[in-house]
Amino acid sequence: VSINGLTQNRDNLSIDVYYSNNLLHILNPESKTGKVQVFDLTGRLLVQKNTLDSFKFTSKSGCYVVKISDEDATITKRIIVK
């Protein structure tokens, strides 16, 4: 179970990010072109994907930072995995 986050980019389009069943879900991106990075709280890069698709991410309980970048905006969201 985790906390999800909803953020709006500069064109007022929302990207929803949440973690469930070992999957990091990225919903509503305007396009699939972009980059997703997952960091631990020390700033260490754990995963990087060069597409805005959902993907498998197996993690221990804790807090992680998800950074989503596309040509229009960069969104940073914290997810909590319990």
Side-chain angles (χ1 to χ4, degrees), residues 8-70:
Q8 295 188 344
N9 67 19
R10 71 180 179 147
D11 295 323
N12 208 28
L13 298 171
S14 62
I15 296 177
D16 190 19
V17 178
Y18 71 95
Y19 182 83
S20 175
N21 297 323
N22 292 328
L23 287 173
L24 185 68
H25 298 274
I26 301 166
L27 304 174
N28 304 322
E30 187 174 337
S31 76
K32 298 293 184 185
T33 303
K35 179 170 57 175
V36 179
Q37 297 172 300
V38 180
F39 300 89
D40 65 13
L41 287 182
T42 67
R44 183 172 56 117
L45 178 64
L46 302 174
V47 177
Q48 179 172 311
K49 299 288 184 183
N50 292 320
T51 181
L52 299 185
D53 283 320
S54 300
F55 61 90
K56 183 172 179 137
F57 174 61
T58 305
S59 65
K60 298 178 181 178
S61 295
C63 189
Y64 299 88
V65 175
V66 179
K67 182 178 177 183
I68 300 172
S69 304
D70 67 13

